[in-house]
Amino acid sequence: QVQLVESGGGSVQAGGSLRLSCAASGYTYSRYCMGWFRQTPGKEREGVAGICTDGRTSYADSVKGRFTISQGNVKHTLYLEMSSLNPEDTAIYYCAANAGELLSWWGLLHPNYFGYWGQGTQATVSS
């Protein structure tokens, strides 16, 4: 059974930074993509950043230049470095993984292409 567990959320002031982590267990694919999504009450889940095992990445326009997605040295781990945070970045952040398919830059930001999800971690940015 695949499980994704996020950590690293918290509360920061505008301009600050946070680092989110995600660890996947029971996940056996050698070629795959993982991503970060976020959601606020009343809004649809939106793609933040995605990365595949071949190194391709994709970022939402709203986070380009501020967020960096990376894979850890340990297989099936994922990070999101968030800097220059603003209150609009406040959301529950979810880690996601797909079923062994390499996605396009567009697919990396679309939740329908990911079949495995974590429970989410809250990130709150105050002004």
Side-chain angles (χ1 to χ4, degrees), residues 75-89:
K75 205 172 184 181
H76 304 137
T77 58
L78 186 70
Y79 300 102
L80 185 69
E81 300 276 357
M82 306 188 294
S83 62
S84 300
L85 287 162
N86 58 63
E88 289 70 38
D89 295 315

Side-chain angles (χ1 to χ4, degrees), residues 15-83:
S17 301
L18 283 173
R19 186 190 196 216
L20 305 183
S21 301
C22 174
S25 60
Y27 192 67
T28 60
Y29 300 101
S30 58
R31 295 171 75 240
Y32 56 88
C33 299
M34 296 182 75
W36 289 99
F37 294 78
R38 66 187 181 186
Q39 190 169 22
T40 55
K43 292 189 177 181
E44 292 186 355
R45 193 167 295 187
E46 65 169 349
V48 174
I51 188 169
C52 298
T53 47
D54 66 348
R56 70 184 71 178
T57 59
S58 186
Y59 291 91
D61 288 342
S62 60
V63 306
K64 281 180 182 176
R66 301 188 299 121
F67 291 11
T68 302
I69 190 170
S70 62
Q71 295 174 315
N73 292 328
V74 176
K75 205 172 184 181
H76 304 137
T77 58
L78 186 70
Y79 300 102
L80 185 69
E81 300 276 357
M82 306 188 294
S83 62

Side-chain angles (χ1 to χ4, degrees), residues 81-126:
E81 300 276 357
M82 306 188 294
S83 62
S84 300
L85 287 162
N86 58 63
E88 289 70 38
D89 295 315
T90 296
I92 298 175
Y93 284 75
Y94 297 90
C95 172
N98 79 336
E101 178 185 2
L102 298 185
L103 301 173
S104 67
W105 67 268
W106 181 86
L108 279 169
L109 299 180
H110 201 291
N112 285 359
Y113 287 92
F114 291 83
Y116 304 105
W117 293 87
Q119 292 300 307
T121 185
Q122 176 72 45
T124 302
V125 184
S126 58

